[in-house]
Each structure stands twice: as C-alpha cells, then as structure tokens.
Amino acid sequence: MKTVNEGIILRNELLTNNPAPIYDMYILAPKMFENAGPVRPGQFVMLYTGKGEMLLPRPISICEAFSDETVRLVYQVAGQGTEYFSSLEEDARIGINGPLGNGFAVEGQDSPPAENRVHFLIGGGIGVPPLLSLAKEIHLRGEKAVAVLGFRDEPILIEDFKEYCDAVHIATDSGKHGFRGNAVQLLNNILNEQAYLYACGPRPLLKSLCEWADERGLPLQISMEERMACGIGACVGCSVKIKSDYVAYKRVCADGPVFFGNEVVF
Amino acid sequence: MNLRTNLAGVVLENPVMNASGTFSRESAEYTDVNKMGAVVTKGVSLEPWSGNPPPRIAETHGGMLNAVGLQNPGVEYFLREELPFWKKFHTKIIVNIVGKTPEEYMAVAERLRDADVDMLELNISCPNIKEGGIAIGTCAKQTERVTSAVKNAAKQPLIVKLSPNVTDIVEIAKAAEAGGADALSLINTLLGMRIDVKTRRPLLGNIFGGLSGPAIKPVALRMVYQVCGAVKIPVIGMGGVSNATDALEFLMAGASAVAVGSANFTNPRAIDSIIKELAAFCVDEVRGAARI
C-alpha cells in the first residue's frame, strides 16, 4: 500500500524575495522512493502541514531528485501552507507523498539518443524549477537542451541550468537581467529550427506559447497547476479544460500535470 | 473483534465507508478496500457530466469548500470501466446516483437494476449543480416524490442522502422515509464561499461551494442525533469524521454506520486507521469488564 511518508528537512533556504519569497528545500525521504520508485521530470509531491486548521496537503513540483532518497523542492510562498513550510528548519519532520502525476515525456525517449535533437525548455517564474530535472534527463541522454527562462526581475537557478543545458537564455519583465520581455517573446527571437518544446509557468505565458507553437507546428508539452485537495485523483478538484466533447475536464494531479499544448482549452 | 453492521438488510463487515466523491480507484492504492464496510462510488449520472469550471477547491479553517459539480463519465462508462474494478474487492458497493430531473435519477436506478451492486444512494443534496440535487432535497414534498419514484425504479435498497441546508432536517428525513427510503445518509456539505482579498473575487469558479471537514462535525452530529430520534430506518452519519472518536460520536448519536469524506484528502489512509482504532476501542471496552 502507498502511504504518506515522513521526510526530514535537510535544508530550507531563501533564494530570493523578489517578487515573492522563494525557498530551496531538500527533503530526505528514502521510504517514499522505496514505495514509489524513481522520480520522472515534471512529477510533484504533496506536502502535509499536519495542522488541523490546514487540512489539505500542498502540491509542490519536484525540482530535482538525488540518489533515490532526497527531493529538492523550490517553492514560492503563496499562502498559509507555503508560509508554514518556509518556517520549517533543518531536521524538522514533514509528511510527504509522491512522486505523483505523469511527468514530461522526453521526445524520442524510446529510441536511441540523437545528437541533433534539440529540446527547448521554456519556464516562467516559479514554473522554472520543475524544468531543471528535465534538463538533467535530456543532458544525461546526450541530447541538446536549451533553457529559455523568464522572471519578473530576479532570475533563479541559472547556474543549475547551465550545468545541464547547452544554452541558457534569460528574460526579465523589467529588463534588469537579459532580454526585456517574457520567455515566449525571447523564444520567438532565438528559435528558428525544428525543436521539441516543454514549458511550465503562469497561465497567460502557457496560453501564448501554445498559440505560438501551434502556428509553427512545433510539438509542445505543458505542465499545469490548479488548486488541489487530495493530489491522488480522488477529489476531481484540480480540473483543466480540454478539447473533448465527452467530459470537458481532466485532472491535473492524476491525468497531468503535463498535457499536450494542443489539448488544453485556455 | 466483530464490527459487523446490518444496514437495511445489507450486512457490512464494519460500519465504516467513504463518503461519495472522496474515494477513487487511485485511493485503493492507499487504503485496503477489502477492509472497508462498503465503498461508495462518486455520483453517477445518466449521461457524462463535465462539472464546474475551476478553481473547484478552497481550503477554510479546519475545513474545505468544493464545487466540483458532480463531474462523471456517466452510467454506461461506470458499468463498463469502474464497476468491474470495485468488484475485485470483498466489500459492499453503494452507487451514488445523481440527476437533473426525477426521470434522470429513475433512469440511472433502472439501468443499475441488473448490476451487481448492493445499494443505491440517492443524491438529492448536492449544492453545486443548478438543477436537481439540492433543489429537490430542500423541499419535503419533492423529497418524498423523488424518493418514491426512484424506489420504484430501483432493485437494490435505497439510501437517501440529505442536505443540511434546510430549516428542519427532521421534516426532510421523515419525507424520505415516507417515500420508501430504506436508509438515510447525512449530512451532505454546507453551502459556503470564500473571497480572495487580493483579487477581490470569489475563490471558487462556481462562486459557492460545499463546506466539509472537521469544521462541520458539530452540525452534522446534531442533525444525525435529531434524525435518529425521528425515523425508524437506519442512518449513515457523516460530516467531518476524521478519527475513531469522531466515528464513535456519530454511532453514539444513533447512526448505524459512518462515512469518511474530506479526511481521505488529509490522510489517504484515514479509513484504514479509523477501522483499526474502532476495533481496538471495542476490545479495550470489554477487556477486564467482568473483574470486580
């Protein structure tokens, strides 16, 4: 039987306060890996507050997983739950369940690696962290990963991405770092070849990227976010509208969080 | 320890089941369904329903709001894909049925006549749909009429699930009993809302949603107590049951069984531990009892 495991916080450090506090947290949870197997890029965990007034676990995407025992989560303080997580210190215990959901499928993953295959990873704000493990997987396959990352004005995880990517392009809304504008505008300036696209970020960014990719016929996978209750598929709360004349919604937690760009209705 | 419970002629191995819409096939990876008194399906309608626009979930202090709107792929899909899954377990199966009109409820009950399920639960209390649901369950006359119509269409014993969003729950409970209900389940969620002060907009896509969780337990318990004193048919108590003590409170109020809802989200193994704790409580109660 699967269960909620107890994890031990190894590290929980503030990365930036701009535009909101973003923390970098490492949780040691070997039992979780024992029960559920390896983590795929794009999967997430549910973190349990253990507080009676905060009933529901919080979904947090996995930034990286190490040696089948530690997960790295980079999360933004967005409400009561994440505020509580940010207060936890080294050695604190936390309930963790995962990895959950279906992650990204690296294009061509079932065939031998092709050196000339290019994967573009497009991230916006707090949508950037889950792309790191994808970059790592592509790098380990020996294929080319290019990151196009957009932020309000303070980039995060750039050095981490540089480790696995052939190129890391940065955009900021304020123009403080890199290109002035968003990740899709920057992508439009640099991408002029056949490539596979993967994205995670705010809804408006994903929407414009879906339209952009659709016009060019480029295959795109996007990771979605929605308010969840259970995280395991039971409550049908985290719905995303899809192109279907049957049931118009899919569950982000169990059917996603990664969807094809051309199946989502914005 | 024997926790066997008779619910309108259906014998459950123990008095603990899930509340409809809180337990899916995925939940069976966390909770041993064979150990549950019964499994209650998510609401099943005649045709597929898409449900409400997101966001559908909002947490509240000690509770949560949901406005899912009974999204489900319909009775044909249920019979083809879902029922065979639940049949693999040794437990009783209760199918929660939903509709927009009395005829739709009847058609679902009719379609399930030959299905190998143990009981039906008539959902006339969902606060998240515009037609059917709560519109029926808040009116005594309609409750009796629809109960009686579905009872005639159904082959299995019929549980009627009641809404707490009424002036007098006893009046509705009696109407369901008069309509031929074999059992009652209560309470469904309490209608509520939340507003995001940053965006100045309601937090739920549907504006209103149903409140559940520990926050509603005192209301649920009071209503179960009132109803158990007023009807002769068995009652399934629910509303904020998160542990064995909560379950005992409902049983002490007169409920024959209890259902666990939101607690499945807080702890996907909640039902497992409640059943274990209940058995332990029974043992502790009698151990050494004859020693003077």
Side-chain angles (χ1 to χ4, degrees), chain A:
Chain A
M1 289 274 129
K2 289 187 186 173
T3 190
V4 176
N5 297 280
E6 188 184 75
I8 300 170
I9 293 175
L10 300 178
R11 206 172 113 179
N12 192 17
E13 286 168 4
L14 183 72
L15 276 187
T16 176
N17 255 318
N18 185 358
I22 292 177
Y23 282 82
D24 192 356
M25 178 156 78
Y26 287 71
I27 301 175
L28 178 68
K31 278 218 174 107
M32 181 178 87
F33 287 90
E34 235 171 77
N35 294 338
V39 174
R40 293 195 309 278
Q43 287 189 296
F44 67 98
V45 294
M46 291 304 265
L47 289 187
Y48 295 74
T49 67
K51 304 250 171 222
E53 72 274 22
M54 288 186 272
L55 282 190
L56 303 176
R58 268 55 176 179
I60 310 278
S61 65
I62 297 168
C63 176
E64 275 188 285
F66 305 98
S67 328
D68 289 350
E69 57 176 28
T70 304
V71 281
R72 178 187 189 187
L73 311 174
V74 173
Y75 62 95
Q76 184 168 311
V77 174
Q80 245 187 335
T82 41
E83 179 81 55
Y84 168 70
F85 298 146
S86 73
S87 76
L88 295 171
E89 292 177 359
E90 206 180 300
D91 284 338
R93 304 294 197 266
I94 190 165
I96 181 167
N97 182 22
L100 298 164
N102 303 301
F104 291 103
V106 177
E107 289 281 348
Q109 63 183 4
D110 299 324
S111 51
E115 260 177 53
N116 57 351
R117 196 178 285 137
V118 190
H119 306 270
F120 269 73
L121 282 45
I122 303 106
I126 200 60
V128 166
L131 297 174
L132 185 62
S133 52
L134 179 62
K136 194 173 175 177
E137 177 156 319
I138 293 166
H139 175 73
L140 291 175
R141 273 179 63 77
E143 294 184 353
K144 209 173 157 189
V146 177
V148 183
L149 311 175
F151 303 90
R152 189 83 57 86
D153 53 17
E154 282 302 329
I156 54 165
L157 303 175
I158 300 306
E159 292 309 313
D160 298 81
F161 273 90
K162 280 183 178 162
E163 206 173 311
Y164 308 122
C165 294
D166 290 75
V168 179
H169 301 274
I170 301 166
T172 52
D173 294 343
S174 62
K176 194 171 163 191
H177 297 273
F179 173 81
R180 185 195 197 104
N182 70 32
V184 180
Q185 292 161 337
L186 175 55
L187 179 71
N188 186 51
N189 291 351
I190 56 180
L191 179 63
N192 49 18
E193 58 195 316
Q194 173 61 37
Y196 299 96
L197 311 180
Y198 313 80
C200 185
R203 228 179 146 82
L205 180 85
L206 295 181
K207 181 175 190 268
S208 68
L209 181 61
C210 283
E211 287 161 5
W212 187 89
D214 205 38
E215 282 165 21
R216 287 156 186 81
L218 296 174
L220 167 65
Q221 294 173 41
I222 54 175
S223 179
M224 305 291 291
E225 182 181 47
E226 189 49 69
R227 282 177 185 269
M228 291 182 187
C230 67
I232 62 168
C235 71
V236 198
C238 57
S239 49
V240 57
K241 197 164 197 174
I242 48 147
K243 290 168 191 160
S244 159
D245 43 17
Y246 190 47
V247 172
Y249 293 101
K250 277 189 176 179
R251 300 165 300 179
V252 171
C253 70
D255 302 318
V258 177
F259 296 91
F260 290 110
N262 57 14
E263 74 177 313
V264 173
V265 180
F266 284 95

Side-chain angles (χ1 to χ4, degrees), chain B residues 88-168:
Chain B
K88 290 187 299 190
F89 300 98
H90 300 287
T91 189
K92 301 297 177 195
I93 298 171
I94 301 174
V95 183
N96 183 284
I97 62 174
V98 301
K100 292 193 172 84
T101 62
E103 291 71 28
E104 279 183 30
Y105 284 105
M106 285 162 66
V108 180
E110 194 91 47
R111 187 70 187 85
L112 293 169
R113 280 188 75 88
D114 300 325
D116 192 7
V117 304
D118 300 284
M119 301 180 95
L120 304 185
E121 182 179 54
L122 179 65
N123 181 352
I124 50 166
S125 43
C126 178
N128 295 325
I129 55 174
K130 287 191 180 66
E131 307 149 274
I134 201 171
I136 295 166
T138 49
C139 168
K141 262 188 197 157
Q142 288 231 60
T143 297
E144 182 175 345
R145 201 166 58 88
V146 175
T147 302
S148 153
V150 176
K151 176 66 192 166
N152 287 332
K155 197 171 91 180
Q156 297 86 354
L158 184 68
I159 305 163
V160 177
K161 186 166 181 177
L162 306 184
S163 168
N165 303 296
V166 294
T167 312
D168 181 6

Side-chain angles (χ1 to χ4, degrees), chain B residues 26 36 41 70 101-102 113 191 193 206 239 247 266 270 278-279 286:
Chain B
E26 290 87 350
M36 293 168 68
T41 71
L70 299 174
T101 62
R113 280 188 75 88
L191 196 59
M193 77 178 291
N206 190 50
T266 312
L278 268 185
V286 297

